[in-house]
Amino acid sequence: FLDTLESDLEGLARINRLLRATHPSRARLSEPLRVIPALVIHPSVDLGDAATTRFRNVPRSVQYLLRGIGADERSGANLMSYVAFHHDYTRYLVECGYEDTMRRASDIRAFLSAAQPVGDETVALA
């Protein structure tokens, strides 16, 4: 999912740069074009690694399926992070997401309260 999100953000940034560079005439448009800012907070943990460390807690049927297609604890980390929605793994992801969000709470407040885009078209926070 993160790869798709990165692709979408790249497209958004490209369109924002185009809008800034061309100043399109708004007279002929029913809706004005505008730059859309984005705030990105990347997970502080590698989701594949998080899934790998929890592989043994995943139901045996899912482990069997993953091993059957050649994905094990070492080689199937990214695939497992997609399909292994075991409560142990999802609880860990929610906790990490909460902690990442709380670490950036002031950045999020500033982004949401800004009347104008903050800085560049994309604010990426690690």
Side-chain angles (χ1 to χ4, degrees):
F1 297 120
L2 293 177
D3 292 340
T4 303
L5 179 61
E6 286 295 324
S7 176
D8 291 343
L9 287 168
E10 287 173 14
L12 176 64
R14 193 175 316 113
I15 291 169
N16 284 343
R17 283 192 304 273
L18 179 65
L19 287 173
R20 285 192 179 106
T22 60
H23 305 290
S25 170
R26 290 172 168 80
R28 292 179 275 146
L29 301 173
S30 61
E31 293 289 323
L33 298 176
R34 61 185 173 91
V35 171
I36 299 174
L39 175 70
V40 181
I41 302 174
H42 293 282
S44 60
V45 298
D46 182 293
L47 302 182
D49 289 346
T52 299
T53 60
R54 287 157 181 77
F55 186 82
R56 293 173 195 207
N57 296 336
V58 171
R60 291 201 188 278
S61 57
V62 174
Q63 289 182 30
Y64 179 77
L65 170 71
L66 291 171
R67 286 187 179 122
I69 60 174
D72 59 17
E73 292 179 55
R74 292 177 307 282
S75 66
N78 288 333
L79 175 60
M80 199 165 89
S81 72
Y82 279 105
V83 299
F85 287 99
H86 185 267
H87 63 86
D88 179 51
Y89 179 60
T90 55
R91 183 178 308 125
Y92 176 77
L93 294 179
V94 169
E95 289 169 3
C96 289
Y98 179 82
E99 291 170 9
D100 289 345
T101 301
M102 294 313 294
R103 267 193 295 276
R104 300 299 187 171
S106 62
D107 296 320
I108 295 167
R109 278 190 216 96
F111 178 80
L112 294 175
S113 65
Q116 296 295 318
V118 180
D120 196 8
E121 66 273 350
T122 304
V123 180
L125 303 174

